[in-house]
Amino acid sequence: MVSEDNPWPSLPLDKWQGTYETLHLWSQIVGKIRLSQATWINHSWHVPLYVTARGLTTSLIPYGNRPFEIAFDFVTHRLAIRVSDGTQRELPLRPQSVADFHNELLGELGKLGLGVVIHGKPCELEVAIPFAEDHQHASYDPEYANRFWRVLMQTDRVFQQFRARFVGKNSPVHFFWGSCDLAVTRFSGRPAPAHPGGIPNLPDWVVREAYSHEVSSAGFWPGGGPHPFPLFYSYAYPEPEGFNATKVLPEGAFYSRELHEFILPYDVVREAALPDQVLLDFLQSTYEAAADLGKWDRVALERNDPSR
């Protein structure tokens, strides 16, 4: 149930830290189910979840003649498993441990005849407790789960507008459950130097394949570490010389030396008179910094009439 009129609701990290950490791990379990069945697509585009009018979905997951999908509903707080033959199961989203969620979800898949096996540990986290053993993370606040989805929904809408301005290779707008962020990425078309890797609990070859070509990437993240607040980010790989010193829009955006990304606190957007424009200014100005300093062929890569 939606409790705020503001389409950009407040999302202070300290108010929902436990729910965020638990939901992040639940999304990894659901995402790994998709990953286990999907055909590999470049840059791991077969991995993410997608924003819907009620939450997040895997989209269609291959399974022989019985493809299925799994969807989080953050309005009624249910997890739905729907199979193409019409069979389905629903689980309540409620305070419960990652271990219980993992066992219950895989058990329901088994009852539906979907024999899925996943890698049983989280990725991209320093501490990777096996899902089946994680009784530490067990929070679920439906109010903040709903707010999180609403932020993703508004962000997805603006990101889609920004994505439409580019005619070069451009990722979908998608939710990467490894890092728990909604992202969209543009490509220059040129190969990039090998990424150094080093992301916790993620094979270096996966990272290097993801960054095989030059990118300008932006996203939304609930926050953490040196920046314990929800934020929008934008980075370039490889980072061109002078990128970190570029003046970008809007006022309030800054370059994070810790993350090597431009950061725009979410509250700058939600409190603005024109939130969409403020976010688009951030996306556009940081992209232009990456593209101009990186000498991208902007004439060939960008739409001549951004309004269309």
Side-chain angles (χ1 to χ4, degrees), residues 28-282:
Q28 289 213 10
I29 295 167
V30 171
K32 283 173 180 281
I33 291 169
R34 181 187 183 203
L35 172 61
S36 72
Q37 301 299 118
T39 302
W40 188 278
I41 300 175
N42 57 289
H43 316 303
S44 298
W45 291 358
H46 60 301
V47 165
L49 307 180
Y50 308 94
V51 179
T52 73
R54 300 183 73 89
L56 290 166
T57 181
T58 58
S59 74
L60 198 64
I61 299 174
Y63 196 87
N65 294 326
R66 299 177 67 232
F68 66 101
E69 70 172 334
I70 302 175
F72 287 95
D73 185 329
F74 296 125
V75 177
T76 60
H77 303 286
R78 311 285 293 179
L79 184 78
I81 310 166
R82 302 186 184 95
V83 189
S84 61
D85 61 11
T87 56
Q88 65 178 23
R89 298 270 182 171
E90 284 195 355
L91 308 176
L93 296 176
R94 64 189 189 279
Q96 64 173 330
S97 71
V98 170
D100 288 344
F101 179 88
H102 168 269
N103 296 338
E104 189 173 358
L105 176 53
L106 292 186
E108 292 301 321
L109 288 172
K111 292 174 185 176
L112 289 166
L114 304 170
V116 176
V117 177
I118 67 171
H119 182 263
K121 290 180 65 175
C123 60
E124 301 189 48
L125 296 173
E126 291 281 358
V127 179
I129 306 169
F131 299 125
E133 301 171 15
D134 187 350
H135 297 280
Q136 174 181 331
H137 299 96
S139 300
Y140 187 79
D141 183 330
E143 169 65 24
Y144 277 95
N146 178 272
R147 291 190 192 194
F148 176 51
W149 156 69
R150 289 163 60 202
V151 174
L152 294 180
M153 185 168 56
Q154 296 302 323
T155 301
D156 181 275
R157 178 179 57 78
V158 178
F159 279 11
Q160 297 288 2
Q161 294 177 41
F162 176 67
R163 182 178 186 267
R165 299 176 177 180
F166 199 73
V167 296
K169 180 178 175 179
N170 201 347
S171 82
V173 178
H174 44 202
F175 178 82
F176 276 108
W177 40 264
S179 46
C180 203
D181 60 334
L182 188 73
V184 63
T185 302
R186 294 176 169 187
F187 293 78
S188 74
R190 299 188 303 241
H195 194 283
I199 295 177
N201 292 294
L202 189 67
D204 286 348
W205 71 265
V206 174
V207 184
R208 290 181 180 131
E209 196 279 334
Y211 290 98
S212 61
H213 289 69
E214 292 179 344
V215 302
S216 172
S217 189
F220 169 81
W221 184 49
H227 305 297
F229 50 83
L231 57 88
F232 297 97
Y233 65 79
S234 180
Y235 65 87
Y237 183 80
E239 183 175 299
E241 185 175 354
F243 181 72
N244 60 6
T246 305
K247 175 65 175 176
V248 300
L249 297 173
E251 198 70 36
F254 63 94
Y255 185 83
S256 167
R257 302 287 174 178
E258 296 87 355
L259 300 182
H260 303 283
E261 300 173 350
F262 279 104
I263 299 299
L264 177 63
Y266 167 69
D267 283 349
V268 172
V269 173
R270 71 174 297 269
E271 293 170 0
L274 299 172
D276 291 19
Q277 190 58 55
V278 168
L279 180 51
L280 285 168
D281 287 347
F282 176 72

